[in-house]
C-alpha cells in the first residue's frame, strides 16, 4: 500500500514536468531575469544614437569652447558654431537642433534655449547642463580672485563609498553591503512568495479538478484519502523543487560562463581588486554597490548556500501551506467557491510577504525574530533576513518549527480532506471545516 | 436459515455436474458426502446457476418432481456486513443494516435515491468507516489491504482528462498492485476485447462518454478482484455496449467473482441478480433471493385469458377475489378474448380458482402473475414509507 503514494507522486510529477509549458517556463524565466538585469549594461554598451548636428549660437563666447572640449567622447554629436540669427538657424535643414546662449549667461544662466526637432536626448541635455553650469560657476568664481582656486577645488572634491565590515564571532571581518543583502533578501522573499502562491494554488485547483470530474471517487477506492493528499502535495512540491534546482543550475552556469562575457570591460578586474581589498573606490569606473552585487552573483559557493536555504524554506513553507490549500480544495466543488476560503491561506502569505519585505530595513529586531519563527510567516521573513548573516541557530530553529508545524497542519488537513472530498453541492464555510476536522 | 439450496430436477447435461462437485470441493465439503448426495438420486445431469446463494438446479432423470436439498456449509459469504450504523451531522445514513453477500453470486443493492446505498458501498470499500457494526470480508474483518481484492465502479465517475488512455489505465492498475508488465498485457487484452485498442495513446478528453465508461469498467475489473461493485454500470451505454457489458459481468461471475450491483433499473436486476437487498430510509426493508421473493410476493396472484362473460366469472368467484384488473378484450374470429389479473384471498387454493373459472368461462391461458422487481420495489418502499420511521 505504501507504494501507492509513490505511484500517485510519480503521476503528479510526470503530468506537470513532461509538458511543454513547464520546460519553456523553466528555461525562459531565468533568461528573462538575466536579460532584465543585464539590459541596462547591454544598452549602454551597444546602443549608438543617431548622428546629431547641433548649431550653437553663443553670444557670450565663453560656452562653446568648453562644450567642444567636453563633447569629445560623444562622437555622434557635431557642434557647429554659427553667427546666423536664431530664426534662420531654426529653419536651416542642416541642423537637428539649435542651442541659443544669451550674452548675459553668467549673470542670468536661465537664458539658454535648446530648440530641437525631436525630443531632446537625456545625455545631450545632461552634457549641456553640466558644461554650462560648470562654466558659469567658474566664471563667477573667477570674479572673487581667489588664488589657486582650481587646486583648492580639486582638493575638496570627494567620492564616497562606505565599505561595511561586519565583525563576526571568530573575529574575522566580512565584507557585507547592506544594500546588496537587502536586495537579495527581497529577491528570495519574492521568489518564495510566488512559489507558495503558485504551487499552493496548484495543489488546490488540482484537488478541485479531481473532485469536480469525479475521478477522485475512482482513486480513493484504491488509495487512502491521506495517501492521495500527501501524494499530491509531495508531487507538486517535487515539481517546485525540480524547477528551483534547474534554475539554480542555470544561474550557476550563467554566472560562471556568461557573466565575464556580458560584463563591461574592466569590471572583472575591478571585482578581483575589490575581493583582494585593494580597490580604490575613488578611481573606480563603476558604482561600488553594483560591483559588490555583481561580485556576489559571480561567487558560485555563496549562491549554492543561499539556494540551499531557499530550497529548505521553500519545501517547508510549501508543505505547510499546501496542506491548508489541500483542505480548502477538498471542501469545495469548483474554483469559484474556493475564493472565500482561500483567504485563509492567502492572507498569511501576503502578511508574510509584507513583513518579509520590510524586515530587511532592520533585520535584527525582536519582531523580526518572532515573525521568522512563526510558521505562517517564517519562510519569507527568514529568507529576507538570511543574507544579513544572522546566527545560524535561528535559521535551524525556524526550520524545525516549520517542519513540525507542517506535520501538524497535514494531520488537520487530512481530517478535513477525508470528509470534504465526498461533500458535494454545499458551499462550506470555515466553521464546517473546523467541524469536519473534529470528526472521529 | 440455510445459505442455499440444491434443487433437483430431471434433465440432460453432463458438464455441469462436474462443476457442482468442483464447487462443493472448493468450499471444503467432504467430496464423498457430495458424491453420495448426487449419486443417491441416480444419474445427475444438469446444474443451472450452480452458485452459492441461489438455488442449484440439479436435474436427475429418475425423479419426476423437484426435490429441494438445503445446504449450510457449502456457501461462503464474501461480505458479511453486520449491524452497520453510520451517522452524519444531520442524519443517519445507515441504521443497523446487515447484509450478507454470498460468494460467486450477483447481488442487487436497491433503494430509492438517498437511501444509504452509496454509504454502504463506501463502507464495504473501506473508504469510510462505520460508526457501529463491522464488515467481514472473506471471513475476516475488512482492512485496507483488502481493497486490492475489490473493484469498484462508482456511479459518479471520471478520469483524468489530460492523461492518455493507456497511461491512465496503467496508473489505476498499479494502484491495485499490478506490475507494469502484467498490467500492460492484461490491458491490451481488454482493450482489444472492447475494441478500443486504437485509443491507447489518445487523451481522455477526446473520448466519448461511452468509451470513457469502457475504460473505467476495464480499470475496475483488470486486477481480477474477488468482489466487484458496480454502481449503475449501464448508464451512458447504448444497447449494444450495454449487452457487451452485461455479458462481461456474467462472465466475470462465472469465473468466480462476486458482484454487487447497485441500480435503479429493475429489469436488469431481474436479468442479472441472484439476491438483493432493498434499502429505504437507512433501513434494510427487504432482502432475499430474487426468484423466491418474486414467487412469494406473487402468491395468489394469477393471470387468466378467457372467452366468455367477465361479469359471470366475477360473480362466480365472489369474495374470493381481493383485487382484479380486466383488460380490454382482444377480438378474434372466435369472439373476444379477455385478459384479467386476479389477486385472491390467502386461503384460496389455485386448484379451486381454476375449477371455478373452468366452470364459468373457456380458459385460453392461465399462469401465475409474478410481480416484476419494479412492482416489488414500489410496493415495498411505499409500504415502508407509510409506516412512521419509529416503528420500523
Amino acid at each position: 500500500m505504501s507504494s501507492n503514494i509513490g505511484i500517485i507522486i510519480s503521476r503528479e510529477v510526470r503530468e506537470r514536468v513532461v509538458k511543454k509549458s513547464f520546460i519553456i517556463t523553466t528555461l525562459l524565466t531565468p533568461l528573462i531575469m538575466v536579460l532584465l538585469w543585464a539590459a541596462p549594461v547591454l544598452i549602454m554598451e551597444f546602443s549608438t544614437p543617431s548622428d546629431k548636428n547641433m548649431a550653437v549660437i553663443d553670444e557670450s563666447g565663453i560656452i562653446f569652447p568648453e562644450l567642444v572640449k567636453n563633447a569629445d567622447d560623444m562622437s555622434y554629436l557635431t557642434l557647429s558654431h554659427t553667427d546666423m540669427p536664431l530664426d534662420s538657424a531654426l529653419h536651416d535643414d542642416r541642423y537637428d537642433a539649435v542651442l541659443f546662449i544669451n550674452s548675459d549667461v553668467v549673470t542670468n544662466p536661465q537664458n539658454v534655449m535648446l530648440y530641437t526637432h525631436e525630443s531632446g536626448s537625456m545625455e545631450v541635455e545632461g552634457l549641456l547642463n553640466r558644461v554650462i553650469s560648470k562654466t558659469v560657476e567658474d566664471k563667477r568664481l573667477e570674479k572673487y580672485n581667489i588664488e589657486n582656486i582650481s587646486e583648492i577645488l580639486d582638493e575638496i572634491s570627494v567620492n564616497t563609498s562606505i565599505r561595511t565590515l561586519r565583525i563576526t564571532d571568530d573575529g574575522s571581518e566580512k565584507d557585507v553591503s547592506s544594500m546588496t543583502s537587502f536586495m537579495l533578501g527581497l529577491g528570495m522573499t519574492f521568489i518564495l512568495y510566488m512559489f507558495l502562491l503558485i504551487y499552493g494554488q496548484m495543489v488546490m485547483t488540482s484537488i478541485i479538478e479531481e473532485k469536480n470530474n469525479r475521478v477522485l471517487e475512482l482513486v480513493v477506492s484504491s488509495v487512502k484519502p491521506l495517501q492521495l493528499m500527501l501524494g499530491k502535495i509531495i508531487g507538486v512540491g517535487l515539481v517546485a523543487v525540480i524547477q528551483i534546482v534547474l534554475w539554480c543550475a542555470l544561474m550557476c552556469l550563467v554566472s560562471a560562463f556568461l557573466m565575464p562575457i556580458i560584463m563591461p570591460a574592466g569590471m572583472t578586474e575591478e571585482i578581483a581588486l575589490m575581493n583582494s581589498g585593494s580597490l580604490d573606490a575613488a578611481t573606480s569606473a563603476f558604482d561600488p554597490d553594483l560591483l559588490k552585487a555583481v561580485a556576489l552573483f559571480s561567487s558560485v559557493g555563496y549562491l549554492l548556500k543561499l539556494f540551499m536555504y531557499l530550497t529548505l524554506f521553500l519545501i517547508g513553507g510549501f508543505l505547510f501551506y499546501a496542506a491548508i490549500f489541500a483542505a480548502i480544495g477538498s471542501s469545495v466543488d469548483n474554483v469559484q467557491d474556493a475564493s472565500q476560503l482561500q483567504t485563509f491561506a492567502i492572507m498569511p502569505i501576503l502578511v508574510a510577504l509584507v513583513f518579509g519585505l520590510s524586515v530587511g530595513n532592520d533585520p535584527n529586531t525582536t519582531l523580526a525574530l518572532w515573525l521568522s519563527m512563526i510558521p505562517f510567516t517564517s519562510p519569507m521573513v527568514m529568507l529576507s533576513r538570511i543574507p544579513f548573516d544572522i546566527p545560524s541557530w535561528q535559521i535551524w530553529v525556524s526550520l524545525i518549527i516549520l517542519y513540525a508545524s507542517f506535520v501538524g497542519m497535514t494531520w488537520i488537513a487530512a481530517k478535513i480532506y477525508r470528509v470534504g472530498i465526498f461533500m458535494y453541492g454545499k458551499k462550506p464555510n470555515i466553521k464546517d471545516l473546523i467541524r469536519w476536522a473534529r470528526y472521529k | 436459515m440455510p445459505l442455499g439450496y440444491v434443487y433437483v430436477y430431471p434433465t440432460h447435461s453432463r458438464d455441469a455436474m462436474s462443476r457442482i462437485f468442483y464447487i462443493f470441493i472448493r468450499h471444503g465439503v467432504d467430496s464423498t458426502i457430495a458424491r453420495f448426495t448426487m449419486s443417491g438420486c441416480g444419474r445427475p445431469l444438469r446444474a443451472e446457476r450452480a452458485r452459492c446463494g441461489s438455488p442449484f438446479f440439479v436435474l436427475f432423470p429418475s425423479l419426476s418432481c423437484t426435490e429441494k436439498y438445503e445446504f449450510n456449509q457449502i456457501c461462503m459469504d464474501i461480505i458479511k456486513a453486520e449491524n452497520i450504523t453510520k451517522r452524519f451531522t444531520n442524519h443517519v445514513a445507515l441504521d443497523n443494516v446487515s447484509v450478507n453477500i454470498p460468494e460467486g453470486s450477483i447481488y442487487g443493492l436497491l433503494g430509492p435515491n438517498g437511501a444509504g446505498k452509496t454509504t454502504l458501498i463506501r463502507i464495504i470499500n473501506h473508504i469510510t468507516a462505520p460508526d457501529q457494526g463491522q464488515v467481514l470480508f472473506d471471513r475476516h474483518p475488512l482492512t485496507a489491504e483488502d481493497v486490492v481484492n475489490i473493484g469498484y465502479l462508482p456511479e459518479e465517475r471520471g478520469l483524468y482528462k489530460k492523461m492518455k488512455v493507456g497511461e491512465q489505465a496503467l496508473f489505476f492498475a498499479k494502484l491495485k498492485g499490478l506490475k507494469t508488465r502484467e498490467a500492460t498485457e492484461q490491458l491490451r487484452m481488454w482493450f482489444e476485447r472492447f475494441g478500443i485498442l486504437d485509443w491507447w495513446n489518445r487523451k481522455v478528453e477526446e473520448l466519448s462518454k461511452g468509451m470513457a465508461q469502457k475504460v473505467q469498467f476495464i480499470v475496475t475489473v483488470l486486477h481480477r478482484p474477488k468482489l466487484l461493485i458496480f454502481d449503475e454500470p449501464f448508464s451512458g451505454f447504448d444497447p449494444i455496449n450495454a449487452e457487451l457489458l452485461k455479458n462481461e459481468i456474467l462472465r466475470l461471475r462465472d469465473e468466480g467473482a462476486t458482484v454487487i450491483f447497485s441500480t435503479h433499473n429493475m429489469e436488469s436486476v431481474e436479468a442479472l441478480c441472484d439476491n438483493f437487498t432493498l434499502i429505504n430510509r437507512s433501513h434494510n426493508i427487504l432482502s432475499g433471493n430474487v426468484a423466491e421473493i418474486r414467487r412469494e410476493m406473487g402468491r395468489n396472484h394469477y393471470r387468466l385469458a378467457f372467452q366468455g362473460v367477465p361479469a359471470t366469472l366475477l360473480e362466480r368467484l365472489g369474495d374470493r377475489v381481493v383485487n382484479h384488473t380486466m383488460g380490454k378484450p382482444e377480438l378474434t374470429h372466435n369472439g373476444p378474448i379477455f385478459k384479467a389479473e386476479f389477486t385472491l384471498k390467502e386461503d384460496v387454493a389455485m386448484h379451486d380458482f381454476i375449477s371455478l373459472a373452468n366452470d364459468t368461462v373457456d380458459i385460453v391461458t392461465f399462469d401465475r402473475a409474478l410481480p416484476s422487481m419494479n412492482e416489488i420495489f414500489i410496493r415495498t418502499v411505499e409500504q415502508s414509507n407509510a409506516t412512521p420511521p419509529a416503528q420500523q
Side-chain angles (χ1 to χ4, degrees), chain A residues 314-332:
Chain A
L314 186 108
I315 294 172
F318 168 78
L319 290 175
F320 181 75
Y321 272 107
I324 302 177
F325 275 114
I328 295 169
S330 70
S331 61
V332 296

Side-chain angles (χ1 to χ4, degrees), chain A residues 100-119:
Chain A
F100 176 79
I101 302 161
N102 212 326
S103 52
D104 64 346
V105 67
V106 178
T107 48
N108 192 3
Q110 272 77 40
N111 230 338
V112 178
M113 312 287 183
L114 177 65
Y115 301 88
T116 112
H117 293 297
E118 304 144 37
S119 58

Side-chain angles (χ1 to χ4, degrees), chain A residues 210 213 217 221 224 422 439, chain B residues 89 122 126-127 147 154 158 160:
Chain A
E210 272 179 7
N213 73 20
E217 188 100 20
S221 67
K224 301 253 90 188
F422 296 118
Y439 279 171
Chain B
T89 331
R122 281 184 184 149
H126 208 261
I127 292 175
V147 169
Y160 290 106

Side-chain angles (χ1 to χ4, degrees), chain A residues 1 3-5 7-8 10-12 14-15 209-210 213-225 228 232 418 422-424 435-436 439-440, chain B residues 88-89 118 122 125-128 130-131 144-145 147-148 152-154 156-163 167-168 171-172 174-177 216 219-220:
Chain A
M1 288 295 274
S3 68
N4 278 349
I5 286 198
I7 298 167
I8 301 272
S10 97
R11 195 199 78 85
E12 296 291 338
R14 212 175 319 157
E15 190 187 71
E209 208 184 289
E210 272 179 7
N213 73 20
R214 313 275 177 158
V215 70
L216 205 121
E217 188 100 20
L218 218 55
V219 181
V220 289
S221 67
S222 339
V223 187
K224 301 253 90 188
L228 181 58
K232 173 143 303 224
R418 203 187 47 176
F422 296 118
M423 294 288 176
Y424 286 99
R435 208 183 57 231
W436 295 350
Y439 279 171
K440 171 176 76 95
Chain B
F88 291 118
T89 331
T118 307
R122 281 184 184 149
N125 232 331
H126 208 261
I127 292 175
T128 41
D131 295 329
E145 279 70 36
V147 169
V148 295
Y152 174 37
L153 185 66
E156 299 281 4
R157 48 189 174 252
L159 295 167
Y160 290 106
K161 288 202 176 77
K162 301 278 172 203
M163 261 178 119
E167 210 175 305
Q168 176 143 230
F171 165 72
F172 282 107
K174 282 200 257 177
L175 285 184
K176 287 293 190 185
Q216 286 153 351
V219 161
T220 312

Side-chain angles (χ1 to χ4, degrees), chain B residues 8-11 17 37-38 41-45 58-63:
Chain B
V8 185
Y9 287 104
T11 192
M17 255 346 277
T37 315
M38 298 294 166
C41 309
R43 199 161 61 94
L45 280 174
V58 186
L59 309 172
F60 295 91
S62 59
L63 296 171

Side-chain angles (χ1 to χ4, degrees), chain A residues 19 21 47 185 201 267 355 377:
Chain A
K19 226 167 133 187
S21 59
S47 65
Q201 283 183 317
M267 206 178 225
F355 278 115
T377 51

